[in-house]
């Protein structure tokens, strides 16, 4: 594939820098004055002084001495790394032979090891099940050369990246015969054993920068040893709390709020975000927010981020003044540009019950206008345009992204969404496959490709796509929900129920999730649980419509929005199956009431009616059910009224006319019987 002039310049620049550093390395390496740091002449070769920052900024004299000694090798290895020659990068520092063996699943700190429990509760030998050393075993010897932590991290991380690259190359075509999703990074074993031996020889009082702990946490997480991975990542955070990658890895490992709260006391009390947001206010330790709660709070205040609403709107939303001043300070410190500007619309269309697509689309449009060549998060913008059915604008975004860089996974997802909106599902799958070829861990492509396979009735491929999405991010509710939908198509309702429950646990305030759970319970003949799930869906649908700002406790007198008539109707049908016809009739009446919306009072005591849904197919079915119910109970006037409304709506007219004839005949028959 021919390169553009810009790509050629970049590659030439990288190769030139690599060649220059390579020549410098050869020149320094051939020098007779070089002193091995392990030799007795170590102190004579390098004076015990503070080295310039350009050589080493490490405050530890021993580490600074090693970094100064390795500076030429480090620059060479870093140039190889930038050119994505990971094996050459690692070979600069590491010998060709490294420890062999299976991936360790236990901490190198022998005194703190605890036996691992089997996932299914069976008592099996740890060594037999995992291949690693059993509890209390002697750690492997440290065969790594004496290197600074900076150089060692670069070499081992290059090994890790080399393994990831080879793993992607082994899978070949996406969802092809050789792509079984079971490819492993073969370098994890070597890296784990090497780090285990290195940590075992460290003294507790020796300083550390936290980077090797971070790498070891990643390796343990990849090896499915999540508890030890959390422990090492938390240790890395303590040593260097501003490594954002560590926080992201912890975020992936913490699956619930309870886990966040259990891990929070072990992390630094002040996270980088909360420290940057409130630099002028010192809070007591009891007031300090843990990292997970701080992130949730920050994300939930983003819809009002950067601007204080007027007092009337502030009171209606129930927004406390403290949060507004907090947001104003955040805006002053971190203007809404770049990454932060993209985070706002992403949260608006993806956060809990904040499906404000119009506002999110407007923000994305402004960002695209100010920076038309920015590809980052453009796939989220295409998802919004897809849901809004904005085909012309989606076509423009696809054309713009293709002209900017057609070989970006975000661009391929945008084009795939465009073809999906045109119902050309085969072409859409082709572009989603191309996105995954460029990045095997691109979450959006896996999920969207699963949607396309569902449309194509290829349930096997859809299930595999959704499973891959879950492997990439197990907190992606869309993948869990897609698996539930696919198994529901296959009429495997128990499987579908399991996946719907996982999706609802990730989005507990999304009525769509609970509605799916209730539907599955109904289909497997568990009506009581079905009613509970449907009622939970009603509560979730109105949770943020009561005028409060995410549960702040301040409510408005204005009526909330109408409930989903489909959910109310389904509850009525389940009650009918249980034989509780009175309850069913009440919920049918409630379904009809959603046409005009709920009634409330404003501040002046005047009646105010909320927005209704109008006449829908669901409310028409409820009206027909009620008409027959009233007819069987002798309320002929009410039955006649409902049947006439059905005729006016133009839905189920023939059944309504037949019911009117039956009502008139019954009325005439009772009148004749009364006269006689």
């Amino acid at each position: 594939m021919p390169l553009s002039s810009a790509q050629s310049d970049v590659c030439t620049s990288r190769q030139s820098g690599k060649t220059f550093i390579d020549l410098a390395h050869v020149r320094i390496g051939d020098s007779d004055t070089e002193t091995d740091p392990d030799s007795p002449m170590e102190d004579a070769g390098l004076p015990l002084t503070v080295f310039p920052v350009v050589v080493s900024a490490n405050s530890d004299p021993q580490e600074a001495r090693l970094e100064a000694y390795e500076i030429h090798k480090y620059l060479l290895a870093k140039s190889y790394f930038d050119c994505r020659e990971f094996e050459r990068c690692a070979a600069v520092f590491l010998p060709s032979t490294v420890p062999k063996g299976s991936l360790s699943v236990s901490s190198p700190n022998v005194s703190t090891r605890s036996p691992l429990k089997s996932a299914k509760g069976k008592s099996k030998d740890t060594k037999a099940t995992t291949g690693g050393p059993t509890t209390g075993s002697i750690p492997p010897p440290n065969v790594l050369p004496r290197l600074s932590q900076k150089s060692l991290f670069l070499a081992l991380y290059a090994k890790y990246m080399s393994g990831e690259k080879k793993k992607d190359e082994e899978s070949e075509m996406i969802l092809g015969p050789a792509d079984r999703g079971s490819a492993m990074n073969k370098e994890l074993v070597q890296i784990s054993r090497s780090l285990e031996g290195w940590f075992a020889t460290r003294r507790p009082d020796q300083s550390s920068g936290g980077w090797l702990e971070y790498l070891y946490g990643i390796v343990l997480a990849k090896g499915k040893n999540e508890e030890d991975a959390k422990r090492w990542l938390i240790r890395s955070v303590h040593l260097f709390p501003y490594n954002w990658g560590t926080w992201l890895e912890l975020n992936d490992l913490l699956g619930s709020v309870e886990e966040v709260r259990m891990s929070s006391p072990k992390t630094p009390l002040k996270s980088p975000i909360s420290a940057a947001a409130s630099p002028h206010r010192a809070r007591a330790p009891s007031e300090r927010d843990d990292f997970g709660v701080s992130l949730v709070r920050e994300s939930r205040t983003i819809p009002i981020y950067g601007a204080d609403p007027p007092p009337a709107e502030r009171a209606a939303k129930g927004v406390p003044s403290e949060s507004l001043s907090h947001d104003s300070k955040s805006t002053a410190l971190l203007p809404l540009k770049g990454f932060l500007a993209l985070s706002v619309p992403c949260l608006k269309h993806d956060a809990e019950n904040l499906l404000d697509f119009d506002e999110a689309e407007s923000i994305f449009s402004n960002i695209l206008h100010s920076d038309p060549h920015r590809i980052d998060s453009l796939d989220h913008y295409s998802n919004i345009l897809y849901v809004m059915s904005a085909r012309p604008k989606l076509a423009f975004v696809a054309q713009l992204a293709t002209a900017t860089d057609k070989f970006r996974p975000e661009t391929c997802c945008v084009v795939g969404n465009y073809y999906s909106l045109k119902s050309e599902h085969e072409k859409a799958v082709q572009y989603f496959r191309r996105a995954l070829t460029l990045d095997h861990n691109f979450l959006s492509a896996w999920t969207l490709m699963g949607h396309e396979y569902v449309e194509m009735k290829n349930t096997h491929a859809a299930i595999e796509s959704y499973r891959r999405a879950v492997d990439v991010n197990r907190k992606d509710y869309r993948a869990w929900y897609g698996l539930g939908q696919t198994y529901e198509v296959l009429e495997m309702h128990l499987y579908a129920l399991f996946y719907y429950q996982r999706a609802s646990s990730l989005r507990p305030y999304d009525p769509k999730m609970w509605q799916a759970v209730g539907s599955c319970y109904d289909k497997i003949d568990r009506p009581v649980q079905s009613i509970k799930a449907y009622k939970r869906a009603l509560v979730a649908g109105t949770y943020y419509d009561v005028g409060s700002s995410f549960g702040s406790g301040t409510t408005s007198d204005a009526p909330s929005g109408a409930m989903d008539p489909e959910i109310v109707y389904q509850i009525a049908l389940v009650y009918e199956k249980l034989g509780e016809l009175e309850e069913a009739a009440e919920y049918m009446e409630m379904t009809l009431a959603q046409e005009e919306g709920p009634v409330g009072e404003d501040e002046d005591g005047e009646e105010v009616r909320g927005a209704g849904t109008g006449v829908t197919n669901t409310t028409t079915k409820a009206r027909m059910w009620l008409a027959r119910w009233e007819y069987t109970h002798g309320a002929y006037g009410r039955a006649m009224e409902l049947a006439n409304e059905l005729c006016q709506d133009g839905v189920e007219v023939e059944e309504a006319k037949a019911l009117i004839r039956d009502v008139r005949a019954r009325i005439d028959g009772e009148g004749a019987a009364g006269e006689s």
Side-chain angles (χ1 to χ4, degrees), residues 201-214:
T201 59
R202 298 281 292 176
R203 298 192 311 272
D205 59 340
Q206 287 183 292
S207 63
S208 176
W211 294 96
L212 290 173
E213 289 81 359
Y214 163 64

Side-chain angles (χ1 to χ4, degrees), residues 620 624 627-628 642-663:
T620 300
M624 175 59 73
R628 291 170 177 166
L642 292 171
N644 287 327
E645 290 177 359
L646 285 170
C647 293
Q648 294 175 3
D649 296 339
V651 183
E652 299 186 3
V653 177
E654 296 300 326
E655 294 185 17
K657 289 181 177 180
L659 182 59
I660 290 174
R661 289 194 296 268
D662 292 341
V663 171

Side-chain angles (χ1 to χ4, degrees), residues 500-529:
Y500 282 144
Q501 287 175 332
R502 293 297 299 267
S504 62
S505 66
L506 292 170
R507 284 179 70 89
Y509 299 116
D510 192 337
K512 187 178 180 182
M513 305 297 131
W514 291 106
Q515 185 178 0
V517 171
S519 175
C520 282
Y521 273 129
D522 186 21
K523 291 175 181 176
I524 61 176
D525 295 327
R526 296 174 67 178
V528 177
Q529 290 83 355

Side-chain angles (χ1 to χ4, degrees), residues 123-355:
S123 57
K124 295 182 179 180
D125 180 48
T126 306
K127 186 174 183 179
T129 56
T130 63
T134 58
T135 303
S137 63
I138 300 176
N142 180 20
V143 297
L144 293 172
R146 187 183 180 191
L147 297 170
S148 65
Q149 296 181 37
K150 182 179 178 180
S151 300
L152 184 58
F153 171 78
L154 178 62
L156 292 178
Y157 191 72
K159 278 283 186 184
Y160 170 77
M161 292 299 297
S162 173
E164 290 292 306
K165 183 179 178 182
K166 292 176 181 177
K167 182 185 73 172
D168 292 341
E169 291 171 352
E170 288 178 2
S171 60
E172 298 180 358
M173 186 177 68
I174 299 298
L175 295 185
D179 184 19
R180 300 179 181 178
S182 58
M184 294 291 294
N185 186 339
K186 298 180 180 179
E187 300 293 341
L188 294 179
V189 175
Q190 301 174 354
I191 298 172
S192 176
R193 302 288 287 179
S194 299
L195 285 174
E196 190 174 351
W198 188 85
F199 282 120
T201 59
R202 298 281 292 176
R203 298 192 311 272
D205 59 340
Q206 287 183 292
S207 63
S208 176
W211 294 96
L212 290 173
E213 289 81 359
Y214 163 64
L215 178 59
Y216 193 50
I218 293 178
V219 172
L220 290 173
K222 289 286 185 179
K224 306 300 182 183
N225 189 6
E226 297 183 357
E227 292 303 319
D228 276 344
K230 293 176 190 176
R231 188 159 50 249
W232 281 94
L233 290 173
I234 290 174
R235 183 180 300 184
S236 174
V237 163
H238 276 285
L239 294 170
F240 186 63
Y242 296 100
N243 182 5
W244 185 244
T246 311
W247 293 107
L248 293 179
E249 293 292 335
L250 277 173
N251 176 69
D252 292 339
L253 292 175
L254 299 176
S256 64
V257 177
E258 289 73 16
E259 292 184 19
V260 172
R261 296 192 182 278
M262 290 176 61
S263 302
S264 295
K266 304 174 185 178
T267 59
L269 291 176
K270 293 287 286 183
S271 68
I273 288 183
S274 59
S278 304
H280 305 298
R281 178 172 178 254
R283 294 196 281 180
S286 60
E287 282 188 273
R288 292 176 179 173
D289 298 327
D290 62 342
F291 179 71
V293 176
S294 176
L295 276 183
V296 173
R297 185 169 299 167
E298 292 294 330
S299 66
R300 286 180 171 180
T301 54
I302 277 184
I304 55 173
Y305 187 93
D308 293 357
E313 183 179 350
R314 185 185 313 170
K317 291 185 176 181
V319 180
S321 58
E322 181 182 356
S323 66
L324 295 176
S325 61
H326 174 76
D327 291 330
S328 300
K329 292 180 181 179
S330 301
T331 308
L333 288 169
L334 302 172
L336 285 179
K337 293 182 180 180
F339 170 76
L340 287 179
L342 286 172
S343 300
V344 174
C346 290
L347 280 169
K348 278 190 176 293
H349 97 276
D350 194 37
E352 295 175 342
N353 283 25
L354 292 176
L355 304 179

